[in-house]
Amino acid sequence: MFKLKLKSKDVKIEKVPKHVGIIMDGNGRWAKKRLQPRIFGHKAGMDALQEVTITASDYGVKVLTVYAFSTENWSRPREEVNFIMNLPVEFFDKYVPELKKNNVRIQMIGDTQALPEETLKALNDAIETTRKNSGLVLNFALNYGGRSEITNAVKMIAQDVLEASFNPDDITEDLIANYLMTDHLPYLYRDPDLIIRTSGELRLSNFLLWQSAYSEFYFTPVFWPDFRRSEFIEALVEYNRRKRRFGRV
Ligand code: FPP
């Protein structure tokens, strides 16, 4: 159990979400407020991600899935897309040693085929060098879309039925989950307990559609670059207050 000094009173955190998903939104508006180009916000967003990762690890979170680039983000100006695609290269260059020290393991979900070679190499290197770590899994959703993930799962299942690997009657929720990109996560932590979205937007934007069926949601007006250790802890405190019933009474 963690005891926290938060605002004026002590708060006990008894229930820590094991899997947290984050929609890191508001980098562009954060930069605009400072009369800076959007990429300035993405750069600051990188530091926020590092701080939040270490905090999540400190509090015993097992999986942190971060929405870094959606399948829809390709329609942004080319310069911005190129910049975002280079972020993993910079991020891992700067932060892998500290992540390793904290026993963090890097993984990813998304359609990797469409990523630039350099981006993919940085990710694969980070995945490889942290492969033996047993602490928090930092799971990057890059070129990820929930509907596309489900569509691909349906195609693979149809193919396996055609090849008579199993009958349609054998299709269960558990089987479907095995065909999703989150199947590489520890079995008990595939679905996020808590989804955080920053910047005041109140939507899911194609993030972990299947997996979020029973997630708790936490929305904050704070722009992502300002979402730091204390903001993450506030989200943990709020989660701790929630009563999860999973459809029961
Ligand atoms: C959303 O803000 C942010 C993104 C699409 C990019 C996310 C990237 C980071 C948080 C940096 C860390 C990432 C990696 C891969 C290391 P927005 O641009 O939509 O902001 P806006 O809604 O204010 O325009």
Side-chain angles (χ1 to χ4, degrees):
M1 187 200 300
F2 298 95
K3 267 200 172 170
L4 292 168
K5 259 227 151 13
L6 204 85
K7 305 246 166 77
S8 56
K9 53 181 189 319
D10 280 340
V11 178
K12 287 181 199 155
I13 294 192
E14 285 158 330
K15 261 186 326 182
V16 173
K18 295 300 175 207
H19 182 170
V20 179
I22 307 188
I23 304 173
M24 308 181 289
D25 199 7
N27 292 351
R29 279 164 286 164
W30 184 89
K32 195 171 171 206
K33 236 175 70 184
R34 287 161 178 76
L35 308 176
Q36 295 289 336
R38 295 174 56 79
I39 57 173
F40 184 71
H42 296 319
K43 231 178 156 50
M46 234 168 47
D47 298 332
L49 176 57
Q50 175 67 0
E51 194 169 318
V52 164
T53 303
I54 301 300
T55 310
S57 159
D58 289 348
Y59 279 88
V61 172
K62 305 287 184 199
V63 179
L64 188 65
T65 299
V66 291
Y67 207 9
F69 195 83
S70 76
T71 44
E72 289 72 39
N73 286 152
W74 293 106
S75 53
R76 292 185 176 212
R78 203 148 89 133
E79 257 181 36
E80 186 176 344
V81 169
N82 290 346
F83 190 87
I84 296 176
M85 283 299 153
N86 196 48
L87 286 176
V89 181
E90 258 192 72
F91 182 81
F92 294 129
D93 243 20
K94 189 167 169 192
Y95 288 126
V96 156
E98 198 189 351
L99 294 173
K100 273 175 100 170
K101 224 169 55 201
N102 281 274
N103 200 19
V104 171
R105 181 171 173 197
I106 312 286
Q107 298 209 311
M108 74 159 288
I109 52 174
D111 177 9
T112 55
Q113 299 314 312
L115 297 177
E117 214 175 295
E118 287 270 282
T119 313
L120 196 53
K121 184 176 178 324
L123 270 159
N124 282 333
D125 287 352
I127 290 170
E128 181 52 34
T129 154
T130 60
R131 192 167 51 89
K132 296 216 170 99
N133 290 354
S134 55
L136 175 135
V137 173
L138 175 58
N139 189 34
F140 280 88
L142 255 179
N143 195 23
Y144 171 84
R147 285 189 174 183
S148 144
E149 174 188 39
I150 294 171
T151 308
N152 283 328
V154 171
K155 281 187 197 162
M156 288 188 285
I157 292 171
Q159 190 62 39
D160 284 349
V161 168
L162 273 179
E163 289 167 11
S165 303
F166 50 79
N167 295 315
D169 280 346
D170 299 331
I171 299 173
T172 59
E173 291 185 8
D174 239 15
L175 182 133
I176 293 174
N178 288 338
Y179 283 79
L180 298 176
M181 290 167 174
T182 39
D183 75 312
H184 66 289
L185 296 173
Y187 182 76
L188 290 174
Y189 313 134
R190 284 172 172 179
D191 297 341
D193 302 295
L194 174 68
I195 291 184
I196 298 172
R197 183 168 190 153
T198 57
S199 91
E201 306 294 349
L202 308 179
R203 44 176 188 271
L204 199 49
S205 301
N206 211 7
F207 183 54
L208 298 177
L209 294 182
W210 172 277
Q211 298 87 338
S212 62
Y214 286 103
S215 304
E216 294 292 325
F217 288 85
Y218 179 83
F219 297 106
T220 167
V222 173
F223 292 143
W224 174 249
D226 287 334
F227 193 85
R228 299 297 175 118
R229 188 175 179 90
S230 60
E231 281 71 26
F232 186 78
I233 293 171
E234 275 199 49
L236 294 184
V237 170
E238 171 57 27
Y239 176 82
N240 199 56
R241 283 193 204 111
R242 304 274 175 98
K243 299 250 176 308
R244 299 184 77 195
R245 287 191 291 273
F246 300 96
R248 297 182 296 261
V249 288

